[in-house]
């Protein structure tokens, strides 16, 4: 543990807020705890309201200068940030493993996502394109341009303590915005380590403080002041649906903008024409990866009745092979849940499954004994369920997989779309008609729809996000950068007349 912290210049006590330089925080002390053993890794001094206010003021001040820097030059700084992350990929990946319990490969994968986002943003910095339009008036030119927006508040969830910030921060930086990051109080150390690395890059380029800001703190002192702050025109929030609803109301009441990336309840339809081998591998990765704590975790398998037994038997065999334990060890496939509360939520959900007529087919135990003293380790669980069981509509943030039988594809799609969330979805089939039906107007209602690929593990090049209770936000690739800029329509009259639009005459002699 110490060697991971040493490599990243982390100390047993850290400040939780800064603008490029740490400030002496006056808020409460937060214990950063590893779910691997339940031990405290470091103590974090949190920000209070006054500290938050200082950070917000500084980021607004820095925005005035940063927005003047040409976008490709901002991209050059982001390029250097990507390289700094490359140099620290292994150490940061290990810290994520330590802090939130995902296995090493997934921890490093998260840093790779940050690097990919940096690379993507560098290219985008030369492509902040606006359109030109044909004016209806003679000798007039019309075009739209994209301008920097202001400080962007980025609120992140515990389960992606680094990548989600990069999905937002990298495009925000090239857009000319400054960033105020409020990480989850369950994962503050990763955020602190990332800031230490990236602030160095800013300092090496003589960029003044206030561009990248961090503020760890509780809801009263930091969360609410941030979402209610009129200095922050955009709040990008990742987390539970309940959090999104609260934040959305607060930001809307001041007519601010939001990007909401909320819970998922992702389903895979496995048809009788599926390649069972790849379907199986995708389901196991999607359901068990990150111990079922991804927004894109596969939670529901809607499987054709003819192949139900074949698939469930193959899943049992695969689940028996899953090595559960210390995620720092290379042989481990599944680490712990984030805390004991998450374990309790899982057990409560499994009780509901039984009460509602479902059957637990495999797993679901809380592990005890040597190596499992923290009480955060569980066996992944497979249940047989019906689509109309209320528990199936909820996102239980744990490795609980529901198997639901179907007879016709339209029934399968109805089951699939019957949940409130709409993040990621997939179909496994070699039949073109089935695949295209799933992708068509009456198919999947999710923001992400895959064919012969599971629900988790999206590439950064696409716009990431979901519909319905998932919040409607889009982040990462494609044209997501537009959310971090303001659009301005410009019309230039180079004639010597003043013709009005729609041919209106308004002559005064
Ligand atoms: P959470 O909702 O408990 O917390 C998320 C963040 O919101 C934290 O930083 C928290 O401190 C903050 N927060 C909560 N209430 C707030 C308020 N009123 N004002 C300001 N900030 C507030 O979620 P979690 O347990 O950390 O993460 C798990 C959830 O996140 C799951 O539902 C998961 O699906 C979702 N998630 C979604 C995506 C996505 O891209 N759609 C990605 C990762 C996680």
């Amino acid at each position: 543990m110490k060697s991971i912290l040493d490599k990243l210049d982390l100390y047993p006590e850290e400040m939780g807020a800064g603008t490029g330089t740490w400030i002496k925080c006056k808020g409460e002390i937060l214990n950063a705890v590893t779910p691997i053993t339940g031990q405290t890794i470091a103590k974090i001094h949190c920000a209070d309201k006054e500290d938050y206010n200082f950070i917000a003021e500084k980021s607004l001040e820095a925005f005035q200068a940063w927005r003047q820097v040409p976008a490709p030059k901002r991209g050059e700084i982001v390029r250097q940030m990507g390289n700094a992350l490359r140099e620290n990929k292994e150490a940061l990946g290990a810290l994520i493993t330590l802090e939130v319990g995902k296995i090493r490969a997934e921890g490093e994968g998260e840093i790779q996502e940050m690097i990919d986002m940096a690379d993507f943003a560098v290219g985008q910095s030369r492509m902040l394109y606006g359109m030109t339009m044909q004016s209806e008036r003679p000798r007039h030119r019309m075009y739209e341009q994209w301008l920097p927006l202001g400080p962007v508040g980025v609120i992140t969830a515990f389960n992606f303590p680094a990548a989600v910030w990069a999905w937002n921060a990298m495009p925000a930086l090239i857009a000319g915005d400054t960033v105020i990051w409020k990480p989850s109080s369950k994962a503050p150390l990763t955020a602190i380590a990332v800031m230490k690395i990236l602030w160095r890059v800013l300092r090496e380029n003589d960029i003044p403080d206030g561009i990248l800001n961090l503020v760890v703190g509780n809801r009263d002192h930091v969360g609410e002041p941030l979402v209610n702050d009129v200095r922050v025109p955009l709040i990008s929030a990742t987390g539970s649906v309940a959090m999104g609803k609260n934040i959305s109301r607060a930001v809307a009441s001041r007519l601010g903008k939001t990007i909401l990336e909320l819970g998922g309840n992702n389903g895979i339809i496995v048809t009788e024409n599926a390649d069972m081998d790849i379907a199986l591998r995708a389901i196991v990765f999607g359901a068990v990866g990150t111990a079922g704590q991804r927004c894109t975790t596969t939670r529901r398998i809607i499987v054709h009745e003819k192949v139900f037994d074949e698939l469930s038997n193959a899943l049992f065999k695969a689940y028996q092979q899953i090595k559960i334990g210390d995620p720092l060890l290379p042989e481990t496939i599944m680490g712990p849940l984030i805390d004991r509360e998450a374990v309790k939520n899982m057990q409560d959900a499994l009780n509901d499954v039984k009460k509602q007529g479902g059957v637990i087919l495999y797993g679901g135990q809380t592990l005890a004994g040597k190596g499992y003293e923290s009480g955060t380790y569980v066996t992944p669980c497979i249940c047989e369920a019906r689509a109309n069981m209320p528990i199936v509509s909820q996102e239980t943030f744990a490795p609980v997989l529901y198997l639901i039988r179907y007879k016709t594809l339209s029934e399968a799609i109805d089951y699939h779309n019957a949940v409130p969330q709409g993040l990621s979805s997939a179909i496994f089939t070699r039949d073109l008609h089935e695949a295209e039906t799933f992708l068509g107007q009456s198919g999947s209602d999710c923001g992400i729809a895959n064919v012969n690929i599971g629900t988790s593990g999206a590439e950064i090049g696409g716009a990431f996000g979901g519909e319905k209770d998932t919040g409607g936000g889009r982040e990462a690739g494609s044209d997501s950068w537009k959310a971090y800029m303001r659009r301005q329509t410009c019309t230039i009259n180079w004639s010597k007349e003043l013709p009005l639009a729609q041919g209106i005459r308004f002559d005064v002699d």
Side-chain angles (χ1 to χ4, degrees):
M1 178 166 104
K2 187 162 180 314
S3 73
I4 297 173
L5 303 187
D6 284 350
K7 276 189 197 145
L8 292 164
D9 219 6
L10 291 169
Y11 296 94
E13 253 184 74
E14 288 283 352
M15 289 298 152
T19 58
T21 315
W22 297 107
I23 64 170
K24 199 160 173 12
C25 292
K26 299 182 288 300
E28 65 198 1
I29 305 272
L30 172 72
N31 286 338
V33 172
T34 172
I36 302 175
T37 57
Q39 271 177 288
T40 294
I41 331 169
K43 290 187 180 297
I44 317 294
H45 293 251
C46 293
D48 69 1
K49 280 185 188 161
E50 205 182 309
D51 300 328
Y52 166 75
N53 194 43
F54 173 82
I55 302 264
E57 209 43 51
K58 198 81 187 162
S59 80
L60 188 60
E61 193 186 303
F63 170 66
Q64 318 297 331
W66 184 240
R67 65 180 172 182
Q68 302 290 350
V69 176
K73 293 234 155 57
R74 297 192 293 251
E76 165 54 22
I77 308 292
V78 170
R79 189 185 65 76
Q80 294 176 34
M81 289 182 178
N83 285 345
L85 291 168
R86 272 184 181 88
E87 283 161 22
N88 289 280
K89 179 174 162 180
E90 204 186 319
L92 279 172
L95 178 63
I96 290 179
T97 297
L98 188 63
E99 192 168 35
V100 301
K102 55 176 83 175
I103 60 170
R104 290 293 288 269
E106 290 181 313
E108 285 187 24
E110 195 170 335
I111 306 306
Q112 186 58 47
E113 254 186 84
M114 301 181 86
I115 296 165
D116 293 345
M117 270 315 297
D119 289 354
F120 186 93
V122 177
Q124 192 69 60
S125 70
R126 291 182 184 270
M127 297 186 292
L128 303 178
Y129 298 136
M131 292 198 289
T132 62
M133 300 90 184
Q134 298 300 310
S135 171
E136 66 190 44
R137 290 171 279 186
R139 298 196 172 89
H140 278 56
R141 185 163 71 84
M142 265 179 99
Y143 75 103
E144 68 182 17
Q145 60 175 348
W146 295 89
L147 299 165
L149 190 62
V152 174
V154 180
I155 297 173
T156 53
F158 80 83
N159 66 325
F160 273 91
V164 165
W165 175 81
W167 293 353
N168 289 280
M170 298 306 179
L173 284 174
I174 56 124
D177 301 337
T178 54
V179 181
I180 303 172
W181 184 3
K182 193 212 90 58
S184 164
S185 296
K186 294 178 185 172
L189 256 193
T190 303
I192 290 170
V194 168
M195 286 298 98
K196 287 190 178 193
I197 291 164
L198 301 187
W199 285 350
R200 265 199 297 272
V201 174
L202 289 165
R203 270 198 300 274
E204 281 159 15
N205 286 276
D206 294 323
I207 311 266
D209 283 5
I211 306 289
L212 291 183
N213 307 281
L214 181 72
V215 57
V216 179
N218 66 28
R219 191 172 302 181
D220 283 350
H221 285 166
V222 172
E224 308 242 319
L226 173 62
V227 298
N228 290 306
D229 193 340
V230 288
R231 290 169 293 191
V232 182
L234 171 66
I235 299 287
S236 174
T238 300
S240 57
V241 173
M243 174 283 283
K245 286 184 177 169
N246 282 335
I247 285 184
S248 173
R249 268 193 293 271
V251 181
S253 73
R254 62 174 175 92
L255 301 181
K257 297 183 188 190
T258 47
I259 301 173
L260 297 175
E261 295 286 355
L262 311 176
N265 188 353
N266 315 292
I268 295 182
I269 297 178
V270 180
T271 82
E272 56 189 313
N273 300 305
D275 176 329
M276 279 297 173
D277 183 41
I278 62 168
L280 177 73
R281 284 193 281 146
I283 294 167
V284 175
F285 174 65
V288 177
T290 324
Q293 300 170 110
R294 282 190 184 214
C295 53
T296 52
T297 289
T298 307
R299 307 202 179 277
R300 297 175 299 135
I301 303 297
I302 300 155
V303 51
H304 194 277
E305 58 180 4
K306 281 193 193 152
V307 289
F308 185 96
D309 289 343
E310 182 187 348
L311 182 68
S312 50
N313 288 335
L315 279 170
F316 300 156
K317 274 200 201 123
Y319 270 48
Q320 278 160 5
Q321 315 298 315
I322 289 162
K323 182 108 185 52
I324 304 159
D326 181 344
L328 287 164
L329 301 175
E331 64 272 19
T332 301
I333 295 288
M334 191 180 116
L337 297 189
I338 187 69
D339 52 24
R340 286 182 180 213
E341 195 188 334
V343 174
K344 182 176 181 307
N345 290 342
M346 176 171 168
Q347 296 309 340
D348 291 348
L350 295 182
N351 285 334
D352 286 346
V353 168
K354 286 183 244 167
K355 277 190 217 145
Q356 292 169 20
V359 182
I360 296 174
L361 301 174
Y362 181 90
Q365 299 87 6
T366 305
L367 294 170
K370 194 164 162 25
Y372 302 128
E373 291 86 350
S374 57
T376 50
Y377 293 85
V378 294
T379 49
C381 183
I382 302 173
C383 309
E384 180 165 2
R386 289 182 321 280
N388 63 359
M389 284 165 46
I391 190 69
V392 171
S393 288
Q394 288 171 26
E395 181 198 45
T396 301
F397 217 52
V400 178
L401 182 67
Y402 300 114
L403 302 185
I404 299 162
R405 291 170 200 259
Y406 80 86
K407 286 191 176 74
T408 65
L409 185 60
S410 85
E411 183 188 32
I413 292 174
D414 285 349
Y415 288 168
H416 178 272
N417 292 348
V419 297
Q421 310 82 352
L423 181 52
S424 186
S425 62
I427 189 167
F428 277 79
T429 179
R430 285 169 295 197
D431 181 289
L432 184 65
H433 168 79
E434 287 181 336
E436 289 292 342
T437 303
F438 182 73
L439 298 176
Q441 296 84 340
S442 312
S444 162
D445 62 359
C446 290
I448 297 168
N450 297 331
V451 175
N452 296 329
I453 293 177
T455 58
S456 75
E459 297 179 25
I460 63 99
F464 181 91
E467 303 298 326
K468 304 195 289 182
D469 274 6
T470 303
R474 291 297 185 276
E475 289 174 353
S478 185
D479 63 352
S480 306
W481 59 271
K482 289 181 176 171
Y484 305 88
M485 304 199 80
R486 62 188 170 89
R487 183 199 305 240
Q488 188 170 64
T489 302
C490 308
T491 311
I492 299 153
N493 174 7
W494 54 281
S495 76
K496 293 191 174 149
E497 312 293 324
L498 189 67
L500 299 178
Q502 293 87 44
I504 291 173
R505 299 205 60 84
F506 203 79
D507 295 334
V508 188
D509 286 332

